């Protein structure tokens, strides 16, 4: 079976082509990319399909997260100070 997991965060990023003429790739860099990657890594330990940061939930219109999302507590993320509020969604 194939398992898909998502890590969601919001923030500024830099997007561009890197490499040479022989091998060009699209890359994204920035703190938001790093946090999203760490959110995705949390899906394994939290046994869920998706993790979203508190910043994502705060940016959504309306009150609180969409139906089906639950608060999983604040988690320390490697390379960041403090703990990030994490919301999860099952498959």
């Amino acid at each position: 079976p194939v398992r898909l997991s998502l890590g969601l965060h919001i923030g500024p990023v830099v997007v561009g082509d890197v490499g040479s003429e022989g091998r060009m790739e699209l890359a994204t860099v920035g703190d938001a990319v790093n946090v999203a990657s760490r959110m995705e890594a949390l899906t394994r330990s939290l046994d869920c399909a998706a993790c979203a940061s508190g910043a994502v939930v705060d940016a959504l219109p309306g009150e609180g997260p969409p139906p089906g999302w639950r608060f999983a507590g604040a988690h320390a993320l490697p390379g960041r100070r403090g703990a990030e509020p994490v919301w999860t969604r099952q498959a």
Side-chain angles (χ1 to χ4, degrees):
V2 175
R3 178 179 173 172
L4 176 68
S5 57
L6 301 173
L8 305 170
H9 188 60
I10 189 170
V13 299
V14 175
V15 178
D17 294 324
V18 296
S20 63
E21 288 183 30
R23 183 176 168 101
M24 188 68 68
E25 294 183 8
L26 182 68
T28 56
V29 295
D31 185 58
V33 175
N34 296 335
V35 173
S37 173
R38 285 160 176 85
M39 287 286 150
E40 189 277 330
L42 274 177
T43 62
R44 293 182 250 322
S45 62
L46 296 176
D47 194 30
C48 61
C51 285
S53 68
V56 169
V57 173
D58 291 345
L60 294 172
E63 295 288 325
W69 288 82
R70 70 171 183 82
F71 183 62
H75 292 264
L77 301 178
R80 293 183 58 90
R81 293 184 184 146
E84 179 70 37
V86 176
W87 294 82
T88 61
R89 172 134 182 140
Q90 297 303 317

